[in-house]
């Protein structure tokens, strides 16, 4: 009878502690990853915006003098950025003027239109982010430049964070298991001892048994003291009742002898 009850309360406390620790860590990882994704996307947009601005500034003369070769040379500088899939310059009538396409990339880009008040715009898809910026000359729009970047780095970061989160989660759960062992000794074991004593008293009707004091002043200690006090009261009443029963038997025996 002892083993199933002991496993039950110990297992419940251990599982509860590990679930709370795991849930807290998981929520923290999700929040950290979400924050990282937001900041990474914002940083990526700022980088693409700076690159588009540089290209736009360096391509003004090429667009004005209809020199696509120079514009293409300007775009080719983006090959040093491994995440740039393609980039290009369009004229006002959306005619491709110059373009850079990374090796192995065959994505056809349709640039979104910009309103009169918009200087640039960007949009995210599942695998890429596209940024479009106006090319100005003396305050007038003469064309558009776009930069298309892939999001493979986000996937790589996600894989690294997932691996790191799994390792930290396993280590934390192991630590929680060790903490639960100490917690079980200080909390659940006294309760188990109390339950075992109650079973022995109920089975053997031995009210002289006492539960060992845990040595700490907490709710469990109060419960044990109250239980021991109850046993003392029952033992005293049982003793008084037994004494009265013995005295009654003596009187009955004595009266019986007198009648004989």
């Amino acid at each position: 009878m002892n083993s199933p009850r002991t496993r039950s309360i110990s297992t419940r406390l251990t599982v509860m502690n590990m679930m709370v620790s795991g849930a807290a860590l998981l929520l923290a990882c999700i929040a950290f990853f979400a924050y990282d994704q937001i900041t990474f996307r914002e940083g990526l947009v700022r980088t693409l915006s700076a690159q588009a601005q540089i290209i736009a500034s360096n391509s003004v003369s090429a667009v004005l003098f209809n020199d696509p070769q120079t514009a293409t040379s300007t775009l080719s500088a983006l090959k040093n950025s491994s995440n740039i899939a393609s980039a290009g310059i369009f004229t006002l009538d959306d005619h491709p003027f110059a373009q850079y396409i990374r090796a192995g990339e065959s994505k056809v880009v349709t640039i979104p239109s910009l309103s009169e008040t918009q200087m640039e715009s960007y949009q995210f898809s599942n695998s890429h982010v596209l940024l479009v910026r106006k090319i100005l000359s003396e305050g007038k729009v003469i064309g558009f430049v776009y930069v298309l970047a892939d999001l493979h780095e986000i996937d790589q970061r996600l894989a690294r964070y997932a691996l790191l989160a799994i390792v930290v989660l396993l280590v934390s759960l192991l630590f929680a298991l060790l903490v639960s062992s100490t917690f079980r000794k200080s909390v659940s074991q006294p309760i188990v001892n109390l339950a075992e004593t109650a079973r022995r008293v109920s089975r053997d009707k031995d009210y002289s048994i006492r539960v060992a004091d845990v040595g700490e002043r907490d709710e469990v200690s109060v419960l044990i003291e109250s239980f021991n006090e109850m046993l003392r009261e029952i033992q005293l009443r049982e003793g008084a009742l037994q004494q009265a029963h013995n005295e009654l038997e003596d009187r009955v025996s004595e009266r019986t002898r007198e009648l004989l």
Side-chain angles (χ1 to χ4, degrees):
M1 294 292 292
N2 181 33
S3 181
R5 289 291 184 90
T6 302
R7 284 199 302 268
S8 176
I9 190 170
S10 300
T11 301
R12 290 179 182 179
L13 288 173
T14 301
V15 171
M16 180 181 65
N17 191 16
M18 294 181 68
M19 287 181 62
V20 171
S21 301
L25 181 61
L26 184 61
L27 290 175
C29 290
I30 292 175
F32 178 77
F33 175 73
Y35 174 77
D36 179 78
Q37 289 294 293
I38 293 174
T39 55
F40 177 79
R41 286 176 176 241
E42 291 176 348
L44 179 59
V45 169
R46 286 194 296 267
T47 300
L48 295 180
S49 178
Q51 291 173 327
Q53 186 174 358
I54 293 173
I55 295 172
S57 299
N58 294 337
S59 303
V60 172
S61 298
V63 174
L64 289 176
F65 294 101
N66 193 23
D67 185 4
Q69 185 176 358
T70 301
T72 302
S73 177
T74 301
L75 291 173
S76 63
L78 293 174
K79 64 182 180 181
N80 296 323
S81 300
S82 60
N83 65 324
I84 302 299
S86 64
I89 297 174
F90 283 74
T91 59
L92 284 177
D93 56 359
D94 294 335
H95 179 74
F97 183 76
Q99 196 168 29
Y100 158 77
I101 300 179
R102 185 176 59 190
E105 187 73 27
S106 59
K107 189 174 183 64
V108 178
V109 176
T110 302
I111 64 172
S113 59
L114 298 176
S115 64
E116 294 182 0
T117 59
Q118 284 183 299
M119 186 61 189
E120 69 177 23
S121 176
Y122 65 89
Q123 59 184 21
F124 280 88
S125 64
N126 292 332
S127 58
H128 292 80
V129 55
L130 173 66
L131 184 138
V132 180
R133 184 180 179 87
K134 294 178 180 178
I135 301 177
L136 301 180
S137 176
E138 297 181 354
K140 295 181 180 181
V141 181
I142 60 174
F144 303 93
V145 57
Y146 82 87
V147 181
L148 181 70
D150 60 48
L151 300 178
H152 292 322
E153 187 174 351
I154 290 183
D155 297 335
Q156 295 173 356
R157 292 167 71 93
L158 175 60
R160 289 195 297 268
Y161 282 137
L163 179 61
L164 179 61
I166 291 174
V167 173
V168 173
L169 182 61
L170 291 177
V171 173
S172 299
L173 290 180
L174 179 61
F175 180 74
L177 185 61
L178 296 177
V179 172
S180 297
S181 177
T182 304
F183 179 77
R184 184 169 59 248
K185 292 179 181 178
S186 61
V187 177
S188 67
Q189 193 59 45
I191 297 178
V192 171
N193 294 338
L194 179 61
E196 175 61 23
T197 302
R199 284 193 294 271
R200 289 177 57 191
V201 171
S202 177
R203 181 185 67 239
D204 302 335
K205 307 301 180 184
D206 183 4
Y207 301 105
S208 63
I209 301 175
R210 298 291 183 269
V211 183
D213 189 8
V214 296
E216 297 181 3
R217 300 303 303 174
D218 53 17
E219 290 80 357
V220 177
S221 176
V222 172
L223 179 61
I224 291 176
E225 288 182 1
S226 300
F227 184 78
N228 287 337
E229 182 63 27
M230 181 183 68
L231 291 179
R232 279 191 292 269
E233 293 289 337
I234 295 176
Q235 184 180 14
L236 291 176
R237 293 181 184 180
E238 183 74 11
L241 182 62
Q242 185 64 39
Q243 182 178 359
H245 179 72
N246 293 337
E247 291 177 356
L248 180 60
E249 286 185 346
D250 292 341
R251 291 179 183 178
V252 170
S253 298
E254 183 180 353
R255 183 60 177 170
T256 301
R257 287 193 299 270
E258 291 175 356
L259 291 176
L260 295 177

